[in-house]
Amino acid sequence: MTSESAGDQPESILLDEPSTADLRAKVTEAWREFAGALAKLVPTLAPGGHIDVTLDPTASGTGKAVYSVSMRVLDDGVVEALAVGNAELPEGYRMDRSAVADLIALGWSPPGVVPDSGESFGLRTTVDQATRLATIVSRTLRDVYGAPHPAFLVYLVHDVDDDPIDTAPLATARHEPNLEDGSDPHDLPGAAARAAEEAIPLDERVRTVVATMSKTTVDQLQQDADGDIGIRAGSAMVFVRVRDNPPLVDVFSPILTEVEPTEQLYVKLSELTNRMPIGRLYCAQDTVWASIPVFGRNFQAAHLMLAVQVMTGLADELDDRLHGEFGGKRFFGEGDKPAGQEPTDHRTGMYL
């Protein structure tokens, strides 16, 4: 969860560095597509129809904390929306005063103000204001609850009798028609297909996703002795590693090696990490790394695709930018060397 301002700076939590302009644009466009799809869906619902959108806790690492927003169409075109409040969140995951203020600034009323809102923040509007409502919901999920991308959202759409409704997709959010009905997952429609997919080892599913993104076959993927999949990104190299305990897919890149760890370098990496939409940058010994973890439990191909897309763009841009400022060696940077030191034959691969 983040408590960044939800005022007039919708991109405040995204990285403003020119080196990641493409990434920033892609993430922003994904949220616009989500909001647009939501704005189109709301007016199509009959009275009693409702939409629940939740930040997937298995993918976002929020554990038992469930950050969600629900919308219900009432009579006469009225729409009631509820957003989870602190009383519904476990200790350690509750919003600070700044985040609560952001919710109020977006248009939410405090818990209990809107009739029947209970412990949730509430608002009421009309279907002809669906675009404004969709913007508020998107900003709430992104800027306040901390969803890095719509691919980390799951949603359901039900009618007045709580029966699932088939609708057009909400962009890259994942449709879960039985998210909250308490049914045994193995009794749900499509459970057989999901069970069959989950029976496939995680590393096989990961290789399939990467091969599809690389427009190649699984057999033609570049893998080193440790089983890491290598993807060239300009002057950088991105690796995809599958870990078993806990189930995790690590998408990482050695941005620079043979770089001198200085206070200025640590400050720069910290600033960049704090402003990135997902992932982190850090220095270990004399190597600068970029890493984006993807949860292996309830593995979602969309999450891995997002991580790979982010990392390939990020690594190729940042290795050039950081090399120019701090020296060091890029993975495919011939002749690179740390400032003030003689070049060596040491290659990045020795760190992996």
Side-chain angles (χ1 to χ4, degrees):
M1 179 194 67
T2 178
S3 58
E4 294 287 346
S5 174
D8 296 327
Q9 299 179 358
E11 312 311 333
S12 60
I13 66 167
L14 300 179
L15 183 60
D16 293 326
E17 289 287 325
S19 61
T20 55
D22 289 343
L23 167 62
R24 180 175 182 269
K26 289 179 180 178
V27 174
T28 300
E29 182 59 27
W31 281 108
R32 287 174 179 164
E33 291 175 355
F34 171 79
L38 182 59
K40 291 179 180 179
L41 174 59
V42 171
T44 68
L45 299 180
H50 59 274
I51 310 165
D52 297 320
V53 186
T54 302
L55 175 58
D56 185 352
T58 64
S60 60
T62 56
K64 295 182 179 179
V66 178
Y67 298 97
S68 63
V69 177
S70 64
M71 293 145 278
R72 183 182 297 271
V73 177
L74 307 179
D75 293 330
D76 300 323
V78 174
V79 182
E80 178 184 78
L82 300 175
V84 69
N86 277 339
E88 303 164 283
L89 297 170
E91 188 174 354
Y93 292 93
R94 292 169 184 162
M95 295 172 284
D96 58 21
R97 292 182 179 179
S98 178
V100 171
D102 289 345
L103 285 175
I104 302 300
L106 281 171
W108 296 99
S109 297
V113 173
V114 173
D116 300 321
S117 61
E119 297 175 333
S120 299
F121 289 81
L123 67 84
R124 283 195 174 186
T125 184
T126 57
V127 292
D128 58 359
Q129 294 292 314
T131 298
R132 175 177 174 272
L133 173 63
T135 299
I136 293 173
V137 171
S138 298
R139 295 282 300 278
T140 299
L141 292 163
R142 183 190 66 181
D143 295 348
V144 182
Y145 292 161
H149 191 283
F152 286 77
L153 302 176
V154 294
Y155 71 95
L156 59 86
V157 186
H158 280 182
D159 63 17
V160 66
D161 297 318
D162 281 338
D163 293 325
I165 301 175
D166 290 330
T167 66
L170 289 181
T172 54
R174 191 172 80 254
H175 186 215
E176 290 286 354
N178 299 87
L179 184 64
E180 295 177 344
D181 67 358
S183 302
D184 184 338
H186 292 90
D187 292 334
L188 303 181
R194 289 195 295 272
E197 180 180 356
E198 292 173 359
I200 301 173
L202 178 61
D203 59 345
E204 291 186 21
R205 284 185 281 168
V206 168
R207 287 197 296 270
T208 299
V209 172
V210 177
T212 300
M213 294 185 68
S214 303
K215 297 181 180 180
T216 186
T217 64
V218 172
D219 294 338
Q220 293 176 324
L221 288 176
Q222 298 182 33
Q223 289 186 265
D224 60 21
D226 295 324
D228 296 340
I229 303 170
I231 306 169
R232 180 161 184 172
S235 56
M237 193 71 174
V238 172
F239 294 93
V240 180
R241 173 179 296 174
V242 179
R243 303 180 187 274
D244 295 327
N245 190 20
L248 185 75
V249 184
D250 191 13
V251 181
F252 64 97
S253 176
I255 300 293
L256 290 176
T257 188
E258 296 187 29
V259 65
E260 181 181 356
T262 63
E263 181 178 355
Q264 291 80 6
L265 176 62
Y266 286 118
V267 169
K268 183 68 172 181
L269 297 181
S270 178
E271 290 176 350
L272 290 172
T273 296
N274 289 338
R275 296 163 61 195
M276 286 165 55
I278 57 175
R280 67 188 183 109
L281 294 163
Y282 62 96
C283 183
Q285 297 179 341
D286 62 355
T287 300
V288 173
W289 299 90
S291 174
I292 302 176
V294 177
F295 282 79
R297 181 186 177 192
N298 295 327
F299 174 75
Q300 298 297 324
H303 299 164
L304 177 58
M305 293 172 67
L306 173 64
V308 171
Q309 289 171 348
V310 168
M311 186 59 71
T312 51
L314 191 70
D316 185 33
E317 295 289 350
L318 282 186
D319 69 341
D320 296 334
R321 177 173 290 272
L322 293 176
H323 173 261
E325 189 171 351
F326 299 101
K329 281 191 173 184
R330 293 166 294 182
F331 201 96
F332 294 106
E334 296 299 328
D336 289 352
K337 65 180 187 297
Q341 296 187 25
E342 293 299 322
T344 70
D345 293 330
H346 189 70
R347 293 308 301 248
T348 306
M350 296 182 66
Y351 287 98
L352 302 178

